[in-house]
Amino acid sequence: MATEAFLRVAHGLDVVPGDETEMALMRMVENPPDFRARLIDLDARLREMDVLAQDMAVLSLNPPGVQPYSAADAVPLAREFNNALAAIVRQHPGRFGGLATVAPQDPVAGAAEIERAMGPLGLNGIMINSHTGGRYLDEPEFAPLLEAAEAHRAPVYLHPRVPSMLGAYRDYGMPGAIWGYQAEAGLHAMRLILSGTLDRHPGLTVVLGHLGEGIPYWLRRIDNRHAFAMRTIGAATPMPRLSLMPSEYFRRNFVITTSGIDDPDVLDLALRTVGEDRIMFAIDSPYEDPAAATAFLRDVPLTDDQRTAIGHRTAERVFGIA
């Protein structure tokens, strides 16, 4: 979602070098009146939820949030949006939760905003839209953000955006959701795993959409090749020594959502990979069809316990929703 105030300010800001292509696209998406209304009109969202028998939605700012702007612009913009989001959640208890927006461009300010979001604002976690200026959360400069997220039990929803290495994705519509988004978010998650970041922050919870951005499909090979590379000169670049196998971090620190993947075969793979207590139902409204997503949850072959876990129990635990 978004607010009219946020879009009015954000669309007037200069974009940092390298993010111009993505923001030209996103501003084009956000401007048409029909789609803008789907982002802003939360009364209409509630009516749609009622028709679908959807009790609750956890809201977040339309990607890529405040990350394409300078720190001087992004920090106050994030604070103002989070104030508005918290007010919406307070106005609709039991119907809306919220994931705060932070500005990784200023990790210290971002850490303070996590503390405020999880404390006085009463929100349920944070969303970070993958890279910030081509930098990733495993890099040392972002340690204050991860320390704050771990300390305040703020799950980090790692949302895709256009890849930082845009060149090979420019053609054929590949920067976005066809391929680039999942490649980017999967890359970011693998950097967190293979860098040793999750040894330093064992209590961190990271949420990935799209049933894990492809990683569950590759976990067995990732473990196999990581072990091989550690035994031999099989890695072209230095590799930190990890306490666990890559798959063990994925099963311990990551939770995945069904957003945009209404496919019973992929869900079955995810269930066998991580189990129902690490999978959450998600819609990705307004980009996906809420009716199709809720029909999928209702009709896909699951046990009662699996449907309960995916439908609400996992989210209640991860996001602290009563």
Side-chain angles (χ1 to χ4, degrees):
M1 51 80 71
T3 65
E4 186 62 46
F6 175 87
L7 294 177
R8 186 168 57 249
V9 173
H11 284 206
L13 296 177
D14 292 332
V15 176
V16 298
D19 286 350
E20 299 92 344
T21 298
E22 179 176 19
M23 289 313 298
L25 169 64
M26 292 310 300
R27 288 173 176 178
M28 193 180 306
V29 167
E30 291 169 338
N31 273 328
D34 287 352
F35 193 83
R36 196 178 185 101
R38 285 185 61 77
L39 289 173
I40 291 169
D41 188 348
L42 296 180
D43 290 330
R45 185 84 61 98
L46 286 169
R47 291 192 295 271
E48 182 177 55
M49 289 165 59
D50 289 340
V51 169
L52 297 172
Q54 178 191 352
D55 294 326
M56 191 173 200
V58 178
L59 303 175
S60 58
L61 178 60
N62 200 40
V66 301
Q67 289 167 242
Y69 308 117
S70 71
D73 290 327
V75 169
L77 189 59
R79 286 182 61 87
E80 289 303 312
F81 174 79
N82 292 336
N83 289 342
L85 179 59
I88 290 165
V89 171
R90 285 194 300 270
Q91 289 164 11
H92 301 281
R95 301 309 306 274
F96 290 139
L99 301 182
T101 291
V102 299
Q105 303 93 309
D106 186 333
V108 173
E113 191 63 5
I114 290 172
E115 181 177 4
R116 194 175 77 97
M118 299 303 291
L121 294 188
L123 296 175
N124 305 99
I126 65 170
M127 178 170 280
I128 293 181
N129 298 280
S130 198
H131 70 89
T132 303
R135 308 299 297 274
Y136 292 88
L137 292 174
D138 59 278
E139 299 180 53
E141 67 197 81
F142 298 113
L145 272 179
L146 299 186
E147 289 165 3
E150 187 177 26
H152 298 286
R153 298 187 178 183
V156 178
Y157 201 122
L158 194 60
H159 194 278
R161 63 176 298 193
V162 167
S164 61
M165 298 165 287
L166 187 55
Y169 294 91
R170 284 186 186 276
D171 301 326
Y172 320 124
M174 289 202 298
I178 294 173
W179 190 252
Y181 281 2
Q182 56 264 41
E184 168 64 30
L187 168 68
H188 201 149
M190 289 304 302
R191 289 184 64 102
L192 290 174
I193 291 170
L194 296 178
S195 62
T197 298
L198 300 177
D199 282 335
R200 296 188 293 277
H201 302 286
L204 189 67
T205 296
V206 181
V207 182
L208 288 178
H210 314 111
L211 284 173
E213 309 293 7
I215 293 175
Y217 187 90
W218 288 95
L219 267 185
R220 185 182 296 271
R221 177 168 173 80
I222 290 167
D223 276 352
N224 178 282
R225 293 297 86 193
H226 182 265
F228 175 82
M230 293 302 294
R231 290 194 308 267
T232 68
I233 314 175
T237 57
M239 294 174 59
R241 187 163 295 278
L242 305 178
S243 300
L244 305 174
M245 293 189 300
S247 64
E248 292 177 300
Y249 295 105
F250 193 77
R251 292 185 173 99
R252 185 189 73 181
N253 293 92
F254 287 81
V255 181
I256 63 179
T257 84
T258 64
S259 59
I261 309 284
D262 298 338
D263 185 322
D265 293 326
V266 182
L267 178 57
D268 184 62
L269 170 67
L271 283 165
R272 286 185 281 115
T273 302
V274 300
E276 62 268 21
D277 289 328
R278 291 204 164 265
I279 303 175
M280 299 186 282
F281 172 70
I283 295 174
D284 206 7
S285 179
Y287 293 95
E288 298 285 350
D289 179 1
T294 51
F296 172 71
L297 177 64
R298 183 185 63 238
D299 298 336
V300 67
L302 295 169
T303 68
D304 289 344
D305 189 62
Q306 287 173 332
R307 204 179 316 275
T308 296
I310 294 169
H312 62 90
R313 190 176 69 208
T314 302
E316 289 166 357
R317 184 188 80 247
V318 171
F319 292 131
I321 297 169

